[in-house]
Every structure is written in structure tokens, then in C-alpha cells.
Amino acid sequence: MNKIFKILMPVLALLSITTTALAQDGGGLDATINQGFAAATGWFVNFIFAPFPGTSFPWIVMWLVIAASVFTLYFAFIQFRLFGHAISLVKGDYSDPNDAGEVSHFQALATALSGTVGLGNIAGVAVAIGIGGPGATFWMILAGLLGMASKFTECTLGVKYRNEYEDGTVSGGPMYYISKGFTERGLPGGKFLAVLFAVFCILGALGGGNMFQANQAHAQIAGILGDYPGWITGLIFAGVVFAVIVGGIKSIANVTEKVVPFMGILYVAAALVILIMNAGQIAWAFGQIFEGAFTGLGVAGGLVGALIQGFKRAAFSNEAGVGSAAIAHSAVRTKEPVTEGVVSLLEPFIDTVVICTMTALVIIITGQLTINPETGNYIVEGGSIVTATGASGVALTSAAFASAFDWFPYVLAIAVILFAFSTMLSWSYYGLKAWTFLFGEGKGAELTFKIIFCIFVVIGAAASLGPVIDFSDAAIFAMAVVNITGLYFLMPIVKRELNSYLSRLKSGEIKKFSGQESKSAAE
């Protein structure tokens, strides 16, 4: 404890100076950092999110969608064939508590979900529909279904090539399976790609997985309580986050397995109530979605605009192919890598197919998108659909729910805060595993990163570092460039593992694990 205290004292002193400077500067320091950082990193951000010539379709989104399509075909639509088995695995039907690993299938799924379910499902969907119309929802669902195969591929490899230590802890993720898998197959460049992924992962964890979340959480709280200094929110969040992450993945999983289902059930339940209240319009809403997917319904960009927005939102929301979730899933208790790959394919389904679609339906059914009664087309101004309240993003989602429950904006604000908190927990673990891959395992290295992470929580809440966030978002999708490159070379290994697992499952060699067997094994 004294050692931790000695480390924290200079850190807290530096943090106090930094936040005081931000508070007293009146935005000048923010602006200076923004300008300097944008000048240094703008080329990288522009490259990652650059559109194909003559279109507004970012090449990185197509990179993710093509990979998801390849894995779907290569594994013969694995996401549909083993969906039922995935449910059984999450329920614990095949779980042996004596297997190596730190968390259950359900905890691993909840931890990974907490890193993806968040503002993308609430604000991002509203943006996609506001630009691409209801048709964007169809392409979003399709991309989510395809992304399930990407998750299966990366998470199977995550467990297969993880490091298991004598104290029971594990480390896994793309940096491990790329370096080990390439060596196993006699391929060059594995170590370089692994290091590159780890660097991008750390940058993404500190920015998009941390500062952006803290910034948005503060904005939500300030919207309820009134304006006040962001560093206060930052310090509170940093304290709570540190208290959780200092206990490692087991502590994180114990929190996320409670927070994520609570958030999801609360949000989906409210959406279902609205849909039930407007049951007569559900068929019409789905008609708008399907018609808009193939005609554009007169929205900005037409069919292509709907497709771009749908694919973009799905990619940004569920992060299938990015490789981040494979880090969380690697910590699962199992001796069968394929089982966690199967469990992980539920993640894009829950995140994109269920939660994002619920958001879209509520916005459409509550009449937030204005329609020209003469033409039947949506009224478009400035490249986006005119909304009933003039709102966009999270405010549009809030307005849609508020049309049925005037108190829901307060619930939504709480949900956004919890989403931000759970996302920070997950990305702290992703960044930590990338950090220890680069700098070595050990309590000292782990504590150093956790303190750095919490410092960035405060900075994120106190400052508005736009280009810094843009850069970290670009870093997260740069992870996908490295990760998917590795997956293409390693997918034959996944197929071999899958065929072995399915044959043993079919023969009865792999059986459901009962509680009595668990007790006997422990004895």
C-alpha cells in the first residue's frame, strides 16, 4: 500500500496542476493542443477514414465488411449454424470450472459487450438514420450479422494462443495470436504486426475508449445538474474506475456482468414498451426500412447513402474485426478455443441486430423523421433529414423516447453514463494487455498503465481535445487493418479447430457439464 501511495502522490500532483491549468486557461490550452496535434496527426486520421474516390464510403468500413463476408463464407455461415449452441455455452452447459482461465463465458461476453454497447447504439444509430434514412437500418443489420463471423474467428484464435500463467491469470488477443500463429505457420512479420497492433490498441484505449467516454459522460451529467468543471467528473470517474480495474479482469467482469445486462434490459424494455404502444405502425416501419434499403426513399444519397450509413454504423458500433474483443474473450475458463469463438458471435447480434435496431425502430415509429405529405419522401436539408424537434444524435434518440415517456431523457442520461463507465472498464483491460505485451508482465507494469489510464479519464472530462479523440478513433480502426491481415493468414487454423470440435461434439466426446461433475472434479 505504501508503494502505491508513493507512486500516486507525484501523479496526483501532476494531475492537479494539469486540471487547474485547463480550468483556468479558459480553453486556450485546449485550442493550442488541438491545433498542434491536428497538424501532426491529421494525415493519419485522414488516411484511415478516407473515402473511396468519388464516394463518401470510408475504405476502412469496406475492409471490415469484406472480411466479415469472407469469414461468413469460409466457415459456412457459422453464425447461424451454431447460434443455439452459443446460447448453451453462455448458460454454462459445457463449462468446467477447473479449466484454465479467469472468467466464465457469460462474464467474458459481458466484458466484451461493455466495450461495444454504448453511445454508438444510442447516438450513432440516430446519426445514421438521420442521413441515410430508415433504409440504413437494413444494411446495419446485415453488417451486424456478417460481423458475427469475424468475432468468431478472432476470439477462437484469442483463446488458442493466449499465455497462461502459474497464478491463474491469462493474457491474449491479436498481439499474441499474430506473433505465435505466424511463427507456427512459418510466416514472416508476425512480431512486427503484433507490436503495431499493441501500439494502436494503447492509443485507442486512452482516447476513444477513455477520454471520449469521460467527455460524453460529463456532458450528460452537466445537462442534468447544470454546468460545472469537467475535472470534478473526471476525478470521480477516475477514482471509481481505478477501484475496479486495480482488481484485474475478475473485478472488471464482476462489475460488467451486472451493469451490462441491467443497461441492456432497461434500454430494450423501454423500446419494447414504445413499440407495443405503437404496434399498429411496426409493419409500416419495417416497410420503410426495406423500401429505403433498396430505393433510398428520396433521402440524401439515395440507396448508396443508406448503405454507407448502415455499414458504417455497424462497423463503428460492434467493432467486429477490430480485435479488441478477442482480448477480453481470451480470459475465459475453457480448454476449447472454439467455444469462446462461438460465444463471441452473439456480441454483434446483441449490439447491432438487437439494440441498434430497437433504437432505429423507436425513432421511425415515433415520427421523428419528417415526411413531405405530397411526395411521401423525407424532407432533406443540408444533407440530412429534418427531424420533428430539430435534434440529431443522442438528442434525437432522447426525443424519440421522450415522446412516450417525458421522464425518459433522465433514464437515458443515466444509461449513457453507465455505458461510458463500462466502456472505460473494458478498454482499460484491452490497453493493459497491449501495454504488458510491449513492456512485460508484472505488477509494476500493470499499475503504471492503470494510473496513466485514470489520468486520461480526468483529462478527457476536463478538456475538449477533438483531434486527440479523432486520432485515437483512427488508431482503433488501424487495429482492424493489422488484425484482419493476421486473420486471413490464420483462418485455416480456426477451421481445423472448428472441425475437430464439431466432430467431438457430434460423437458425444464433448458432453454437457453438470454441477455434480463439477463438484467431483474439484474434490
Side-chain angles (χ1 to χ4, degrees):
M1 184 59 70
N2 288 335
K3 185 177 180 181
I4 294 176
F5 185 74
K6 289 179 181 178
I7 296 174
L8 281 175
M9 283 304 292
V11 170
L12 290 174
L14 176 62
L15 192 55
S16 176
I17 294 170
T18 303
T19 53
T20 301
L22 285 168
Q24 294 178 348
D25 188 70
L29 183 59
D30 260 14
T32 301
I33 295 174
N34 277 339
Q35 292 169 5
F37 202 82
T41 64
W43 65 271
F44 177 72
V45 177
N46 292 336
F47 168 70
I48 292 296
F49 295 117
F52 286 109
T55 73
S56 58
F57 205 148
W59 70 269
I60 189 65
V61 173
M62 184 57 72
W63 174 258
L64 290 164
V65 172
I66 290 175
S69 302
V70 168
F71 299 138
T72 295
L73 295 174
Y74 187 75
F75 295 109
F77 298 90
I78 186 74
Q79 58 267 62
F80 305 113
R81 290 194 293 133
L82 294 186
F83 190 89
H85 187 56
I87 302 295
S88 296
L89 288 167
V90 171
K91 286 165 55 184
D93 290 349
Y94 295 85
S95 297
D96 183 346
N98 300 305
D99 283 342
E102 299 184 75
V103 297
S104 68
H105 285 298
F106 178 76
Q107 288 176 319
L109 178 64
T111 301
L113 271 172
S114 69
T116 58
V117 176
L119 286 172
N121 306 80
I122 300 173
V125 174
V127 171
I129 294 176
I131 299 174
T137 309
F138 175 87
W139 300 110
M140 182 177 65
I141 293 171
L142 178 61
L145 292 172
L146 292 174
M148 293 166 72
S150 298
K151 289 276 183 167
F152 165 77
T153 309
E154 61 193 6
C155 292
T156 298
L157 289 169
V159 176
K160 179 172 176 58
Y161 290 107
R162 67 187 180 181
N163 283 356
E164 298 175 3
Y165 304 107
E166 292 182 0
D167 63 355
T169 60
V170 299
S171 292
M175 50 276 189
Y176 290 93
Y177 61 68
I178 290 175
S179 58
K180 290 183 178 182
F182 272 49
T183 299
E184 184 179 303
R185 297 202 66 195
L187 300 171
K191 190 67 175 179
F192 170 75
L193 288 175
V195 169
L196 193 61
F197 178 90
V199 170
F200 287 142
C201 185
I202 291 170
L203 294 172
L206 295 177
N210 182 344
M211 289 199 295
F212 174 71
Q213 305 299 325
N215 192 279
Q216 293 300 298
H218 172 68
Q220 286 294 317
I221 296 172
I224 297 173
L225 303 179
D227 195 30
Y228 67 95
W231 61 265
I232 297 175
T233 300
L235 283 175
I236 294 171
F237 262 81
V240 177
V241 168
F242 186 80
V244 175
I245 67 176
V246 75
I249 183 62
K250 290 183 180 179
S251 177
I252 294 172
N254 285 335
V255 174
T256 56
E257 76 169 341
K258 298 176 180 65
V259 173
V260 172
F262 171 75
M263 292 187 304
I265 291 170
L266 176 67
Y267 191 75
V268 171
L272 283 173
V273 170
I274 293 177
L275 295 180
I276 292 170
M277 291 169 60
N278 298 274
Q281 292 182 279
I282 293 177
W284 169 80
F286 274 110
Q288 293 284 293
I289 289 171
F290 285 109
E291 185 180 350
F294 299 101
T295 67
L297 279 177
V299 300
L303 164 61
V304 176
L307 184 147
I308 290 173
Q309 290 303 320
F311 277 174
K312 182 190 293 186
R313 179 44 41 210
F316 284 24
S317 177
N318 63 49
E319 297 173 12
V322 170
S324 53
I327 301 174
H329 285 285
S330 297
V332 72
R333 279 191 299 270
T334 186
K335 59 178 176 290
E336 298 287 350
V338 169
T339 59
E340 196 56 26
V342 173
V343 166
S344 71
L345 60 79
L346 293 174
E347 194 181 319
F349 182 82
I350 296 170
D351 176 275
T352 305
V353 179
V354 176
I355 298 180
C356 286
T357 303
M358 286 289 189
T359 301
L361 285 172
V362 169
I363 291 173
I364 296 167
I365 284 177
T366 56
Q368 299 302 308
L369 308 177
T370 56
I371 299 176
N372 186 325
E374 296 180 3
T375 64
N377 290 330
Y378 289 98
I379 301 173
V380 178
E381 290 182 4
S384 61
I385 298 174
V386 177
T387 60
T389 61
S392 62
V394 69
L396 176 58
T397 305
S398 181
F401 278 93
S403 66
F405 313 110
D406 57 4
W407 45 264
F408 192 80
Y410 298 101
V411 176
L412 187 63
I414 294 172
V416 169
I417 293 166
L418 289 175
F419 280 142
F421 172 62
S422 64
T423 299
M424 283 189 278
L425 293 183
S426 296
W427 274 95
S428 72
Y429 183 71
Y430 301 159
L432 172 64
K433 289 304 173 182
W435 181 273
T436 55
F437 177 81
L438 294 177
F439 301 107
E441 302 283 346
K443 298 296 182 183
E446 291 186 7
L447 183 60
T448 298
F449 177 79
K450 288 171 182 176
I451 291 172
I452 291 172
F453 189 86
C454 289
I455 290 173
F456 275 83
V457 173
V458 182
I459 294 173
S464 301
L465 306 177
V468 177
I469 302 300
D470 292 341
F471 176 75
S472 70
D473 281 347
I476 289 174
F477 285 95
M479 289 163 59
V481 177
V482 179
N483 182 50
I484 288 174
T485 299
L487 294 182
Y488 282 139
F489 286 104
L490 300 178
M491 61 185 187
I493 295 174
V494 179
K495 177 167 274 191
R496 186 182 69 206
E497 290 284 332
L498 175 62
N499 290 338
S500 170
Y501 178 79
L502 291 179
S503 66
R504 286 180 288 125
L505 186 66
K506 186 176 180 180
S507 69
E509 182 181 340
I510 296 177
K511 300 181 178 67
K512 290 190 176 183
F513 210 87
S514 70
Q516 186 60 40
E517 288 172 329
S518 173
K519 183 178 179 181
S520 300
E523 292 172 350

